[in-house]
Amino acid sequence: MKAAILVKSKTPLVVEEVIPPDELLPGQVFVKINYSGICGAQINEIDAVKGIDQYLPHLLGHEGVGVVLESGPGVTTVRKGDRVVLHWRPSAGIQSSPPKYRWGERKVNAGWVTTFNSHAVISENRLTVIPDSLDSRIATLFGCAVTTAFGVVDNDAQLKIGQSVLIFGIGGVGLGIAQAASMKSGYPIVGVDVTDKKLKMGKSFGLTHALSSSSADLDGRIREIVGPAGADVVIETTGNSRVIERAYNLTHPEGKTILVGVPKKGDNISIPSLPLHFNQVLTGSHGGESIPD
């Protein structure tokens, strides 16, 4: 099977033939990968933004769509022929041991899910069956971007009708957040990004206002829209520490700042903590606390 292998941090992946394990262990499922997404988290993993990578060489990818070819002992939630979404958040079923692949004389590590390979051994609880009617390219987004985005709005923010929403970063997750916030009747829904194309797309997903991060007096423009005290819910998806600080400072004294993006290791933030002793909330999200199945 073909796989893209991370051999050394901060270098291009190596595409080679690898050999899967000889047999499936309890809870493992062998899947043919049809589509894979590329999440910012994967780019961060390649660049080792969290520090030294102790598992090299290893496989990557945590969102995709495929077809089940074979199941190991104990697997009950999927069966041969099922179309499945592959996701990084744990869900129904067994959490198996992670597989190890062979690449010549070397062993290649893998987590409970990888998708940068033509076939993969996946933990049962990283798979969810989808109907045949669901387009595979769209379904791939349910492996991370969509489930994270809707989880952030529904679980982390617990957004109420009419609450104002400010989103920094209108990428895959940011678009999903705009859509979820619109479906929950948030208002206004303000998006900020460096790319005009993303902001334009965001308007079709639910943004009521789209602002370039290079706008003059950006903070003032945001407060004109959401109110002088700040937005009820501010969601930061970029992982940029300076943007995180800005997001916190633009949050209403009784509002929530939710961090989705992950900063580089050692890239700390500096905030006035006094509001946290009253009603303001600052929290990090872990995939929106979603349960994929």
Side-chain angles (χ1 to χ4, degrees), residues 233-245:
V233 174
V234 183
I235 303 170
E236 203 292 322
T237 75
T238 73
N240 182 301
S241 294
R242 304 294 79 78
V243 179
I244 291 172
E245 291 168 353

Side-chain angles (χ1 to χ4, degrees), residues 12-152:
L13 305 182
V14 175
V15 178
E16 291 280 2
E17 295 278 350
V18 299
I19 300 172
D22 294 330
E23 61 179 358
L24 295 175
L25 300 177
Q28 292 182 340
V29 181
F30 193 50
V31 178
K32 180 183 185 298
I33 309 295
N34 293 329
Y35 287 92
S36 174
I38 301 177
C39 182
Q42 308 299 291
I43 305 301
N44 289 344
E45 196 166 357
I46 293 168
D47 291 340
V49 300
K50 296 182 181 179
I52 296 173
D53 193 330
Q54 303 177 29
Y55 301 100
L56 297 172
H58 65 77
L59 304 186
L60 291 163
H62 69 202
E63 55 186 329
V65 168
V67 177
V68 173
L69 299 180
E70 185 181 353
S71 296
V75 173
T76 59
T77 64
V78 299
R79 60 185 180 183
K80 184 177 180 180
D82 282 342
R83 290 178 71 237
V84 288
V85 167
L86 297 84
H87 43 75
W88 66 274
R89 285 283 300 173
S91 195
I94 298 169
Q95 178 156 299
S96 71
S97 301
K100 292 186 183 296
Y101 299 82
R102 286 173 289 162
W103 173 32
E105 299 299 319
R106 303 181 71 176
K107 287 185 178 180
V108 178
N109 295 309
W112 293 295
V113 56
T114 60
T115 60
F116 292 5
N117 26 304
S118 63
H119 299 73
V121 175
I122 309 293
S123 177
E124 180 186 14
N125 69 346
R126 262 63 175 188
L127 299 170
T128 297
V129 178
I130 57 172
D132 291 337
S133 58
L134 185 57
D135 178 84
S136 290
R137 288 171 62 87
I138 293 173
T140 302
L141 299 173
F142 285 79
C144 180
V146 171
T147 44
T148 295
F150 277 70
V152 166

Side-chain angles (χ1 to χ4, degrees), residues 233-276:
V233 174
V234 183
I235 303 170
E236 203 292 322
T237 75
T238 73
N240 182 301
S241 294
R242 304 294 79 78
V243 179
I244 291 172
E245 291 168 353
R246 175 175 243 163
Y248 177 79
N249 289 325
L250 285 167
T251 303
H252 190 282
E254 297 188 352
K256 297 177 181 177
T257 312
I258 301 167
L259 309 183
V260 181
V262 178
K264 293 182 180 179
K265 186 176 181 180
D267 194 2
N268 299 321
I269 63 172
S270 178
I271 61 169
S273 61
L274 183 61
L276 299 175

